[in-house]
């Protein structure tokens, strides 16, 4: 009896590994481009404001301190007679955290954080990027003369400053890396907000806090009922902020809370959700005014040889530098690598882990929130505040320069990736990489190719047979005259040669 062919049991398909830092969906890419465009401009303004503050504080220190400590505002009923420095720290930064709250809400409902599997990597990276700097700072300040209360200063990433650095050095960072940096910064901001609310709030006045919650509930109710009008929401937002400030909880928490209350998903035929629309209006105010003005009043520290020496010799400032330069870089990179390894996420083959490390070094730039926590951590020691601010500037500068070098090494490759991402040969406003599987796009490109070949064929000049020569395979004939007669149409060409010429 003939042997039966072997029966192959069906095998389970190999599960496809999720790609890390892969191409973004087109709507997310469009949103990211719009957001980063504003943040990049704001980052350049932030850098400019920081430089102006340093020059002002070192060339005209008395004038700088006089403006910084000038008091403005009513003393009753909510004690809003605040210095300009406090208005910048507690007031203008509330706008920044309001935008951060909207970003966070959007990430949870429509962005990278909506999927637990996709959110795991940036969340773990952000948590590790907060924990390791805090641990390093605590270890350095555990002995005599240390100041453990400043453990949170080196934990924050400043996305505007980082993007400003990218804009200045002209690095073409692919959108996937920019999206990861933005998501990382959003989660980092959330952790910073929780740290400020839990560890740096004191003397709670529950009557003011209760009224603030009532005001926030009214804000949410009016928004959900579809009520519109800035003339209603702006005064209500100011009242909520004033009550939160009076309560003893840091006033920026009010901004985050109101941002989280906005609806960030689209309904019906909406092109943009209310949260996205408000963010589009407020982000330029945050990035172009609020954060640069805060930097102008917060970054002015005396720079001298002794001050810079103390940055590396005193426990508190040295712990800040070590936390930003080493803690942030190793924490973000190590957390990302471990999360990718244990979740079996596969790195985008167009990128390398060296790119992720360069991004981790860039995440060590801590400025806006770091300077804010600095003033909250050492409220009774202005000298230490200045040394800590100098440490934030030094650590951020080291990270910026190091990241610039690392990114420049791959800048040519990044430029090629960006050109591929942006290429739009058919001019329909949609990058070609998003249409490779679209039959309509394929047909348009095939027609363009055929038209280009036809134009090339028509533009190719006809090759003439040299005078006195005989084409291959033909019978020798009398040599033709060098000048054609009027009735001539040119030299006779064999059929094969004509086809070769056409080809």
């Amino acid at each position: 009896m003939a042997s039966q062919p072997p029966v192959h049991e069906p095998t389970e398909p190999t599960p496809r590994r999720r790609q890390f830092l892969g191409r973004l969906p087109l709507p997310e890419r469009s949103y990211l481009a719009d957001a980063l465009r504003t943040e990049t401009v704001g980052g350049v303004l932030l850098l400019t404001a920081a430089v102006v503050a340093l020059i002002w504080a070192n060339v005209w220190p008395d004038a700088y301190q006089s403006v910084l400590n000038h008091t403005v505002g009513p003393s009753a009923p909510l004690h809003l007679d605040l210095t300009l420095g406090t208005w910048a720290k507690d007031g203008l930064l509330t706008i920044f955290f309001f935008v951060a709250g909207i970003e966070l809400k959007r990430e949870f409902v429509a962005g990278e954080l909506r999927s637990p599997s996709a959110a795991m990597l940036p969340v773990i990276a952000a948590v590790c990027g907060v924990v390791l700097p805090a641990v390093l700072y605590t270890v350095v300040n555990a002995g005599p003369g240390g100041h453990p209360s400043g453990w949170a200063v080196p934990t924050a990433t400043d996305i505007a400053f980082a993007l400003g650095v990218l804009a200045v050095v002209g690095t073409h960072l692919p959108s996937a890396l920019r999206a990861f940096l933005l998501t990382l910064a959003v989660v980092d901001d959330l952790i910073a907000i929780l740290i400020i609310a839990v560890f740096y709030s004191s003397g709670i006045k529950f009557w003011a806090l209760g009224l603030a919650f009532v005001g926030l509930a009214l804000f949410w109710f009016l928004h959900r009922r579809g009520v519109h009008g800035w003339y209603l929401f702006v005064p209500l937002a100011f009242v909520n902020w004033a009550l939160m400030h009076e309560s003893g909880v840091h006033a920026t928490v009010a901004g985050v809370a109101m941002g989280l209350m906005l609806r960030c998903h689209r309904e019906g035929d909406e092109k943009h959700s209310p949260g996205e629309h408000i963010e589009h209006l407020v982000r330029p105010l945050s990035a172009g005014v609020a954060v640069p003005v805060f930097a102008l009043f917060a970054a002015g520290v005396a720079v001298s040889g002794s001050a810079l020496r103390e940055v590396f010799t005193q426990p508190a400032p040295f712990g800040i530098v070590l936390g930003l330069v080493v803690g942030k870089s190793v924490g973000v990179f190590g957390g990302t690598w471990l999360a990718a390894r244990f979740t079996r996420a596969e790195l985008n083959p167009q990128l390398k882990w060296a790119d992720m490390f360069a991004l981790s070094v860039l995440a060590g730039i801590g400025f806006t929130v770091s300077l804010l926590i600095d003033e909250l951590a050492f409220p009774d020691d202005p000298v230490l505040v200045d040394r800590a601010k100098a440490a934030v500037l030094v650590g951020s500068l080291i990270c910026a320069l190091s990241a610039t070098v690392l990114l420049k090494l791959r800048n040519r490759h990044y430029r090629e990736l960006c050109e591929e991402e942006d290429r739009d040969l058919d001019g329909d406003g949609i990058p070609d990489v998003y249409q490779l599987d679209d039959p309509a796009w394929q047909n348009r490109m095939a027609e363009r190719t055929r038209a280009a070949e036809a134009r090339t064929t028509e533009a190719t000049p006809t090759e003439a047979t040299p005078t006195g020569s005989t084409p291959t395979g033909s019978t020798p004939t009398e040599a033709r005259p060098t000048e054609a007669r009027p009735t001539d149409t040119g030299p006779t060409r064999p059929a094969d040669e004509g086809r070769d010429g056409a080809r």
Side-chain angles (χ1 to χ4, degrees):
M1 185 175 65
S3 60
Q4 297 292 329
V7 178
H8 297 282
E9 295 293 335
T11 58
E12 293 291 333
T14 303
R16 184 178 180 181
R17 300 180 66 180
R18 183 173 59 83
Q19 191 176 89
F20 170 50
L21 295 179
R23 184 180 301 127
L24 299 176
L26 184 58
E28 184 70 13
R29 184 180 184 274
S30 301
Y31 166 80
L32 178 72
D34 181 63
L36 293 184
R37 190 179 302 112
T38 304
E39 290 290 352
T40 300
V41 175
V44 174
L45 294 176
L46 175 63
L47 292 173
T48 304
V51 172
V52 171
L54 288 172
I55 295 174
W56 189 3
N58 286 273
V59 178
W60 302 284
D62 294 337
Y64 183 80
Q65 291 298 326
S66 176
V67 173
L68 188 67
N69 296 320
H70 183 68
T71 301
V72 177
S75 59
L78 295 177
H79 304 94
L80 296 180
D81 49 337
L82 309 175
T83 64
L84 291 179
T86 304
W87 276 110
K89 177 182 66 177
D90 293 355
L92 290 178
L93 276 194
T94 301
I95 301 174
F96 166 79
F97 279 107
F98 175 69
V99 175
I102 301 175
E103 288 179 338
L104 183 63
K105 178 68 173 290
R106 187 191 174 279
E107 287 292 329
F108 276 123
V109 301
E112 289 294 307
L113 301 180
R114 70 185 184 277
S115 168
S117 59
M120 186 174 296
L121 265 71
V123 168
I124 293 177
V127 171
C128 293
V130 169
V131 171
L132 189 55
V135 169
L136 291 178
Y137 178 92
T138 303
V139 170
V140 172
N141 286 267
H147 297 82
S149 60
W151 61 271
V153 176
T155 60
T157 294
D158 195 310
I159 182 64
F161 208 138
L163 293 175
V165 170
L166 291 178
V168 171
V169 302
T171 301
H172 299 77
L173 202 63
S175 58
L177 288 174
R178 290 179 182 269
F180 184 86
L181 181 62
L182 180 61
T183 306
L184 177 75
V186 168
V187 179
D188 191 273
D189 287 341
L190 172 62
I191 298 174
I193 292 162
L194 295 175
I195 289 174
I196 291 171
V198 174
F199 296 98
Y200 296 106
S201 297
S202 59
I204 305 298
K205 298 178 181 178
F206 289 99
W207 67 267
L209 186 59
L211 290 177
F213 279 125
V214 172
L216 291 172
L218 180 59
F219 183 94
W220 176 86
F221 176 77
L222 293 175
H223 175 66
R224 290 294 174 172
R225 296 289 293 181
V227 177
H228 301 286
W230 65 268
Y231 48 84
L232 178 63
F233 283 97
V234 171
L236 180 59
F238 180 79
V239 171
N240 291 338
W241 170 85
L243 288 169
M244 191 69 72
H245 182 272
E246 182 70 14
S247 71
V249 177
H250 200 270
T252 55
V253 175
V256 178
M258 288 184 285
L260 289 172
M261 290 177 180
L262 298 181
R263 178 169 62 83
C264 292
H265 62 276
R266 303 174 188 177
E267 294 181 352
D269 57 352
E270 289 180 338
K271 293 184 178 180
H272 303 284
S273 67
E276 291 173 328
H277 176 67
I278 294 173
E279 180 188 10
H280 180 75
L281 296 176
V282 179
R283 185 186 287 276
L285 178 63
S286 170
V289 178
V291 175
V293 171
F294 167 76
L296 182 65
F297 287 112
V301 296
V303 178
S304 62
S306 60
L308 293 177
R309 185 165 54 251
E310 290 175 358
V311 166
F312 295 97
T313 55
Q314 291 187 359
F318 179 67
I320 293 172
V321 174
L322 190 66
L324 290 174
V325 177
V326 178
K328 268 291 183 182
S329 304
V330 176
V332 172
F333 179 79
T336 305
W337 186 83
L338 289 174
R341 180 178 178 85
F342 286 105
T343 59
R344 298 183 60 81
E346 184 178 24
L347 183 66
N348 183 347
Q350 293 181 313
L351 299 173
K352 298 181 178 179
W353 281 107
D355 303 318
M356 189 63 231
F357 181 73
L359 199 70
S360 303
V361 175
L362 191 66
I365 298 177
F367 193 80
T368 306
V369 180
S370 293
L371 294 179
L372 172 62
I373 298 177
D374 173 27
E375 296 193 1
L376 299 175
F378 313 115
D380 302 323
D381 195 339
V383 175
L384 183 57
V385 168
D386 285 347
R387 293 295 176 268
K389 287 182 178 180
V392 171
L393 296 176
V394 170
S396 299
L397 180 62
I398 293 174
C399 289
L401 294 177
S402 302
T404 298
V405 173
L406 293 174
L407 293 172
K408 277 291 186 182
L409 295 175
R410 296 268 291 166
N411 198 38
R412 178 179 297 179
H413 180 63
Y414 296 152
R415 184 181 291 110
E416 293 173 354
L417 293 181
C418 288
E419 290 175 353
E420 179 182 350
E421 289 181 358
D422 297 334
R423 187 177 295 117
D424 183 17
L425 296 179
D426 59 347
D428 62 349
I430 302 176
D432 295 336
V433 293
Y434 292 96
Q435 305 182 84
L436 297 179
D437 297 329
D438 184 2
W441 179 83
Q442 295 173 357
N443 291 335
R444 289 198 302 271
M445 296 309 299
E447 291 175 1
R448 286 173 58 90
T449 302
R450 287 192 293 268
E453 291 177 349
R455 288 193 299 269
T456 303
T457 302
E458 293 174 359
T460 303
T462 305
E463 296 180 2
T465 304
T467 303
S469 64
T470 304
T472 305
S474 62
T475 304
T477 58
E478 182 181 356
R480 297 181 180 272
T482 55
E483 294 184 3
R485 290 185 296 270
T487 56
D488 289 343
T489 57
T492 304
R493 298 169 56 92
D496 291 341
E497 186 179 348
R499 283 193 295 269
D500 290 342
R503 285 196 295 268

